[in-house]
Amino acid sequence: MVASTSALRDGAVRPSRERPNSRDGRSSRTSIARFLPVVPSILLLALFMAGPVIWSVTISFTNTALTGRNAKDPSWVGFENYTRLLQDPGFPVSVWLTVVFVVASAVIGQNVLGLVIALLLGRVGRVTHAIVTTIVVGAWVLPEIVAAFAAYAYFADDGTLNQLLAGIGIDGANWLYEFPMLAVILANVWRGTAFSMMVYEAALNDVPPEITEAAVIDGAGGLKRLIWVTIPMIRGSIATNLMLITLQTLAVFTLIWVMTKGGPGISSTTLPILAYQEAFKFQEIGYGSAIAVVMILIGAVFSVLYLRTLRPGRDA
């Protein structure tokens, strides 16, 4: 009896010691099996993103040049390129123009206009929806160089805008010379709003209609429903959209280069234009890479700000 009791005790104890290990083993194998499909993506990201970023950061601490002795045998200069940036009077101007360009054209222009169009599309018929979507998306699907030439033709001194203004008796300005930042901001809004519109249209379709109907029953008007119901429920989509369009706008080069070439003077020289000029016009790859690193840091600051303030579940 004692032996059988001991056996039963042993039998009762042994499984309890083995099952957790067995579950842990299965859990580990399941985790590995789930991780395997994303391994190629991680390797590709490391190869095509992390690699160039690490290379850019590294050569920003060197005097690497495009031609000459420093191209063949660059040397380590530490923070000299960054010290030059701080002493360059054109650098703070470029940082300010970049922030203005991002905030005005992406954060306010594309983001707000995309949300407004998405909200309005939910109230129109199918034909109007198709027409508006085609017009807005048409600018987005154009190759960047084609969109840049179209924007140049629109804002040029003898371009479409001034022709339209002349038709109603108004003498238009030389937009690309007198208001270069306004011209490139409007051009970027025109080109990029479609992305925000599609993101918000998909997010709005996921808002449960019963919640909106409950708000209507409670007497909430359209603006109150938007502020207290709709926006909190699509907060994650807002953060994702803001982060993506901010990073896209930080990297805009072709549009500005074709329209103004950074001028007149440096009045539309954003950081991508400045980095290109220093790296390839003046052939200082190390100095240009230091500017690129600053752009990465600005993008990181915007991304962290969006994720911390707009992440789902965070109280407003």
Side-chain angles (χ1 to χ4, degrees):
M1 185 65 183
V2 173
S4 62
T5 304
S6 176
L8 288 173
R9 187 187 302 120
D10 291 342
V13 170
R14 282 170 188 160
S16 66
R17 289 177 179 174
E18 294 175 359
R19 282 172 185 168
N21 293 334
S22 178
R23 285 198 297 269
D24 290 344
R26 286 197 300 270
S27 177
S28 299
R29 288 193 294 273
T30 302
S31 299
I32 294 173
R34 290 176 177 174
F35 179 73
L36 283 177
V38 302
V39 169
S41 302
I42 294 175
L43 292 177
L44 287 174
L45 286 173
L47 180 64
F48 292 105
M49 290 191 65
V53 169
I54 293 172
W55 182 81
S56 297
V57 173
T58 302
I59 66 170
S60 71
F61 293 101
T62 70
N63 60 357
T64 303
L66 198 60
T67 59
R69 186 182 62 183
N70 291 336
K72 182 179 179 182
D73 187 22
S75 58
W76 186 266
V77 297
F79 287 93
E80 182 179 322
N81 288 327
Y82 294 94
T83 304
R84 283 181 58 193
L85 271 180
L86 296 177
Q87 296 173 346
D88 185 350
F91 175 67
V93 176
S94 292
V95 173
W96 170 248
L97 292 175
T98 302
V99 173
V100 169
F101 181 64
V102 170
V103 172
S105 68
V107 178
I108 297 176
Q110 295 179 11
N111 181 56
V112 175
L113 187 58
L115 177 59
V116 170
I117 294 175
L119 288 168
L120 293 177
L121 286 178
R123 300 171 177 270
V124 300
R126 295 177 60 182
V127 175
T128 305
H129 183 285
I131 294 173
V132 173
T133 302
T134 302
I135 293 173
V136 176
V137 174
W140 187 60
V141 299
L142 286 175
E144 188 175 10
I145 185 68
V146 176
F149 277 117
Y152 174 82
Y154 185 80
F155 287 104
D157 191 25
D158 57 349
T160 306
L161 178 58
N162 281 347
Q163 295 291 338
L164 293 173
L165 293 175
I168 57 176
I170 299 176
D171 291 330
N174 189 345
W175 301 98
L176 299 179
Y177 186 81
E178 298 178 30
F179 308 102
M181 282 304 295
L182 177 62
V184 296
I185 286 171
L186 292 176
N188 196 49
V189 172
W190 162 71
R191 173 163 164 71
T193 297
F195 180 82
S196 298
M197 180 197 74
M198 290 186 289
V199 170
Y200 288 136
E201 192 174 15
L204 292 173
N205 288 333
D206 289 337
V207 176
E210 56 269 20
I211 296 180
T212 305
E213 292 169 0
V216 173
I217 294 173
D218 289 340
L223 184 59
K224 287 185 177 179
R225 291 200 304 274
L226 174 65
I227 295 175
W228 299 109
V229 178
T230 304
I231 289 180
M233 296 198 70
I234 64 172
R235 183 182 295 176
S237 298
I238 294 174
T240 302
N241 179 63
L242 282 173
M243 186 166 60
L244 291 177
I245 63 175
T246 295
L247 297 179
Q248 290 171 353
T249 303
L250 266 176
V252 168
F253 171 80
T254 305
L255 189 70
I256 301 175
W257 185 257
V258 169
M259 291 181 68
T260 66
K261 217 171 182 177
I266 60 170
S267 56
S268 61
T269 302
T270 56
L271 286 176
I273 302 294
L274 181 64
Y276 173 81
Q277 290 176 331
E278 295 294 343
F280 298 103
K281 183 178 179 180
F282 302 114
Q283 304 184 355
E284 294 189 84
I285 299 294
Y287 189 56
S289 298
I291 301 172
V293 171
V294 173
M295 290 170 53
I296 294 174
L297 295 177
I298 293 176
V301 170
F302 273 107
S303 299
V304 171
L305 182 65
Y306 295 148
L307 291 176
R308 289 184 63 85
T309 58
L310 294 172
R311 61 185 176 187
R314 183 184 177 91
D315 294 335

